[in-house]
Amino acid sequence: MTTNVAATAGSDFIREIITNDLKAGKNGGRVVTRFPPEPNGYLHIGHAKSICLNFGVAREFGGVCHLRFDDTNPAKEDVEYVDAIMEFVHWLGFDWGDKLFYASDYFAKLHDFAVELIKRGKAYVCSLTPDEMRAYRGTLTEPGKDSPYRSRSVEENLQLFAEMRAGKHEEGTHVLRAKIDMASPNLNLRDPAIYRIKKAEHHRTGDTWCIYPMYDFAHALSDMIEGITHSLCTLEFEDHRPLYDWCLETLETPCHPQQIEFARLNLSYTVMSKRKLLELVEGGYVSGWDDPRMPTLAGLRRRGVTPEAIRDFCQRIGMAKRDSLVDMGMLEYSVRDDLNHRAARVMAVLRPLKLVIENYPEGQVEEMDAVNNPEDPSMGSRKVPFARELYIEQDDFREDPPKKFFRLSPGREVRLRYGYLVTCTGVVKNEKGEVVELRCTYDPATRGGNTPDGRKVKATIHWVSAAHARPAEVRLYDRLFNHENPGLEKDGKDYKTHLNPSSLETLPQCWVEPSLAGAAAGSRLQFERLGYFCVDPLSTADKLVFNRTVTLKDTWTKLEQRGEVD
Ligand code: ATP
Ligand code: MG
């Protein structure tokens, strides 16, 4: 991605802050950001917002952006996730160069900072049970109470903390707490835990540690250790900022990154919490992290969405200081806009109805010229075989057409795109009375769909040659949830009750034009009149499989306005 510095710098409140910091000569003119995922799930479109912001800002201001795995919770983390996160940051078009870090690399340093806090009388080992600790914490309206262990001496604290580290105590028996203020109106400052005992293998440090730092403490100090200048995070951390600052001020660290909060991306008709996404995967509600209905980058990629479309979307939604719900239609807009330029047009029939042209010579095949992308002449054209027996879409025929239906019906003439004008002369029905075949005649003077006599036909429909088309399976995706904000779980309703039962429709017997015979996995196409599709990774030459990325909608409206379709 090439980003125009002049056009974007200062274009939102974060870039404005950074511009002003640079003007004021803060941080020696450096801009260092970081993207700090916890490796406990796959990246989703919300993470993309944070990635585009952090890497984007670094790029625009000539700074650097670190990729730091926030791997301080050994229980839920996995190397599978670490690898996938790196893959998808790259896929989105960003690079951390040699700035790859793990919070777990700082465990020794973080431990030493904790010891330093104890020595300064700013941390103590608390031996209340988790329940007692909760009771002592108070509420939003009532102040908390000091723990009876708050007055332990520095020596005793050092001794106990060393024992915790040596594995002499069981989980939950002691925690190290920052000594701040049990009466603070901000609950995060009521002597928060900064280290806890956890006897779990860590995916990188193995069993070296049995105590692990808590997020706020580890995060502030990791930022500081790396010399981060602007620590950009989502709004729910606003109330944590005083604790972030407290850690750095109390330890009198050589640098003090500035935490700035922005609104998290919430997208309609989906959920973004990793816990819920994991549950959807593990419960078999979707086929995996890369199910094309998932809001994960893996799912979006498999669905045919490009990194360019995602970056465009992230830029369009901008940076806000208030949380909101972004319409899924915004993402679809960016996806359509991007695919409109890059996707070659082809013809495919999803629900086939045979059409036989009775006056077309048996055995004759004509290669018709078809434009690959009217938006981009440089994409050239291709040949599409035309023959006596074709498939058209069932939808494009009505035996008894309603008033505004201008497509095929008995006695009516339509244009076959890039083919000829045909008139329906009869139908063949099965024993149930369903139309299974159309009989037509064609006008040989209308090759290419032209009408030399200037006569008008109201509809143009797509088709494939029955003898030449390739069979394909096509998967149509719809929204995963049928509720705008399923994650709210209002009225105690589990978000899963809002799963859309028809979010996946598999059409096993479709036909695509022969030019798609060897289409590579990941190829993106527009099936004329139907939408944007991509070749699924599991597609083979014997069995082509396509995923619908998005419907056409607006593009189709344009064609309608030009009178090319009904
Ligand atoms: P969850 O709460 O579901 O576990 P998380 O925010 O803890 O998600 P992390 O892996 O810690 O997930 O996130 C890494 C970074 O991505 C953080 O800086 C976080 O603020 C940011 N991020 C996560 N979700 C969103 C979102 N929906 N919109 C914008 N940024 C996000
Ligand atoms: Mg997190």
Side-chain angles (χ1 to χ4, degrees):
M1 179 175 65
T2 49
T3 310
N4 184 334
V5 177
T8 48
S11 60
D12 58 54
F13 77 99
I14 291 177
R15 288 168 167 91
E16 218 163 274
I17 291 172
I18 297 175
T19 305
N20 290 335
D21 285 352
L22 287 177
K23 272 195 208 136
K26 220 176 143 185
N27 305 310
R30 285 174 321 124
V31 173
V32 186
T33 56
R34 85 286 170 270
F35 173 62
E38 183 178 356
N40 61 352
Y42 278 63
L43 295 179
H44 52 58
I45 183 87
H47 291 117
K49 176 177 179 180
S50 177
I51 294 169
C52 289
L53 173 66
N54 280 293
F55 283 93
V57 154
R59 192 176 287 179
E60 289 157 34
F61 291 94
V64 285
C65 179
H66 298 183
L67 174 62
R68 182 201 315 141
F69 287 100
D70 166 26
D71 55 352
T72 51
N73 180 0
K76 292 191 271 169
E77 297 162 2
D78 206 310
V79 268
E80 177 199 346
Y81 299 135
V82 170
D83 294 343
I85 288 169
M86 292 201 273
E87 180 186 350
F88 280 96
V89 173
H90 274 152
W91 180 75
L92 256 193
F94 298 102
D95 190 26
W96 53 88
D98 59 354
K99 305 295 182 195
L100 173 63
F101 302 103
Y102 294 83
S104 56
D105 286 345
Y106 310 138
F107 281 167
K109 283 185 185 160
L110 296 174
H111 168 267
D112 294 348
F113 280 123
V115 169
E116 181 60 27
L117 280 181
I118 296 175
K119 288 183 178 160
R120 291 178 182 226
K122 294 295 184 184
Y124 62 98
V125 173
C126 181
S127 311
L128 290 176
T129 65
D131 280 343
E132 288 168 335
M133 193 119 49
R134 224 164 294 140
Y136 273 78
R137 196 158 176 243
T139 63
L140 280 174
T141 48
E142 281 169 46
K145 274 194 307 182
D146 283 0
S147 158
Y149 304 101
R150 202 174 200 261
S151 50
R152 274 177 168 151
S153 68
V154 169
E155 290 67 36
E156 193 183 354
N157 282 319
L158 287 173
Q159 170 73 23
L160 279 169
F161 190 54
E163 288 174 14
M164 284 167 63
R165 192 212 153 151
K168 292 202 177 135
H169 299 285
E170 294 313 309
E171 286 185 18
T173 54
H174 307 281
V175 293
L176 184 69
R177 297 176 72 175
K179 194 190 269 189
I180 310 180
D181 179 7
M182 287 307 291
S184 170
N186 183 342
L187 268 69
N188 295 302
L189 295 181
R190 293 186 188 170
D191 292 8
I194 55 176
Y195 254 96
R196 61 180 164 165
I197 301 169
K198 199 148 190 128
K199 300 199 169 168
E201 281 269 314
H202 187 279
H203 69 103
R204 296 191 79 240
T205 58
D207 58 4
T208 309
W209 297 91
C210 59
I211 54 172
Y212 289 94
M214 301 299 285
Y215 178 82
D216 288 308
F217 175 75
H219 195 74
L221 289 165
S222 302
D223 280 351
M224 188 280 297
I225 290 168
E226 291 177 16
I228 301 299
T229 56
H230 300 85
S231 179
L232 312 177
C233 64
T234 39
L235 277 177
E236 69 272 20
F237 290 102
E238 194 168 9
D239 289 347
H240 296 240
R241 188 177 352 119
L243 176 54
Y244 183 100
D245 290 336
W246 181 91
C247 291
L248 301 174
E249 279 158 17
T250 309
L251 285 162
E252 298 174 279
T253 54
C255 78
H256 189 139
Q258 181 183 2
Q259 175 177 311
I260 306 169
E261 306 86 15
F262 63 94
R264 141 184 303 267
L265 167 64
N266 301 304
L267 198 56
S268 64
Y269 298 98
T270 192
V271 292
M272 217 84 92
S273 136
K274 280 186 285 185
R275 178 182 65 75
K276 289 175 183 157
L277 295 176
L278 178 66
E279 191 182 23
L280 292 175
V281 171
E282 290 189 333
Y285 299 97
V286 293
S287 65
W289 285 102
D290 69 345
D291 187 300
R293 292 165 292 180
M294 292 279 272
T296 52
L297 298 185
L300 290 165
R301 179 175 73 178
R302 186 160 182 189
R303 185 148 170 175
V305 173
T306 66
E308 289 83 356
I310 295 176
R311 295 198 304 253
D312 177 70
F313 168 71
C314 289
Q315 188 165 350
R316 272 177 214 277
I317 57 175
M319 285 300 143
K321 281 194 238 186
R322 282 253 224 107
D323 278 321
S324 67
L325 190 64
V326 173
D327 192 330
M328 182 66 97
M330 289 267 290
L331 176 60
E332 289 171 355
Y333 177 88
S334 290
V335 172
R336 255 185 219 115
D337 189 47
D338 171 63
L339 292 176
N340 182 34
H341 296 293
R342 70 171 72 232
R345 277 58 172 163
V346 292
M347 293 198 282
V349 172
L350 304 191
R351 295 174 179 88
L353 174 62
K354 187 168 263 186
L355 182 156
V356 179
I357 305 171
E358 293 182 317
N359 61 339
Y360 194 87
E362 297 230 24
Q364 177 173 308
V365 180
E366 285 178 84
E367 295 291 337
M368 312 306 266
D369 282 315
V371 176
N372 287 336
N373 190 344
E375 301 280 328
D376 181 1
S378 76
M379 287 173 73
S381 63
R382 68 191 185 287
K383 301 283 186 195
V384 185
F386 186 91
R388 189 170 192 267
E389 298 199 356
L390 310 175
Y391 289 119
I392 65 163
E393 216 63 66
Q394 286 169 18
D395 266 3
D396 284 334
F397 173 80
R398 292 284 186 88
E399 195 176 13
D400 226 349
K403 226 177 160 199
K404 290 214 162 159
F405 186 90
F406 299 116
R407 289 166 277 167
L408 212 49
S409 59
R412 171 107 31 97
E413 183 174 56
V414 296
R415 175 186 291 111
L416 295 175
R417 185 130 165 107
Y418 303 123
Y420 286 98
L421 269 60
V422 293
T423 303
C424 179
T425 53
V427 301
V428 179
K429 293 186 179 179
N430 63 13
E431 60 281 5
K432 284 189 266 176
E434 297 159 344
V435 175
V436 291
E437 192 178 299
L438 303 180
R439 312 299 285 189
C440 291
T441 56
Y442 85 117
D443 177 353
T446 59
R447 194 175 197 279
N450 298 314
T451 47
D453 59 356
R455 74 178 184 272
K456 294 263 184 285
V457 283
K458 281 201 165 151
T460 299
I461 65 175
H462 63 273
W463 51 275
V464 293
S465 160
H468 302 88
R470 303 297 164 115
E473 176 180 304
V474 174
R475 299 170 182 167
L476 305 180
Y477 299 99
D478 201 348
R479 293 166 173 173
L480 186 51
F481 293 91
N482 49 27
H483 188 284
E484 190 179 48
N485 198 350
L488 274 187
E489 309 203 308
K490 259 196 172 158
D491 314 320
K493 269 200 174 168
D494 185 277
Y495 72 99
K496 294 192 294 305
T497 58
H498 300 302
L499 277 164
N500 174 6
S502 34
S503 58
L504 168 60
E505 184 182 2
T506 302
L507 302 173
Q509 278 159 343
C510 308
W511 295 99
V512 300
E513 64 170 66
S515 72
L516 292 177
S523 309
R524 301 178 182 92
L525 305 147
Q526 185 194 101
F527 289 177
E528 293 222 23
R529 303 178 63 221
L530 299 173
Y532 292 100
F533 292 76
C534 76
V535 181
D536 189 80
L538 297 180
S539 183
T540 62
D542 292 335
K543 192 186 174 204
L544 288 166
V545 180
F546 294 90
N547 296 318
R548 184 172 69 195
T549 312
V550 67
T551 54
L552 287 180
K553 218 155 97 190
D554 296 349
T555 319
W556 197 233
T557 315
K558 239 178 18 195
L559 278 179
E560 275 173 11
Q561 284 162 358
R562 290 209 300 262
E564 287 184 31
V565 293
D566 65 306

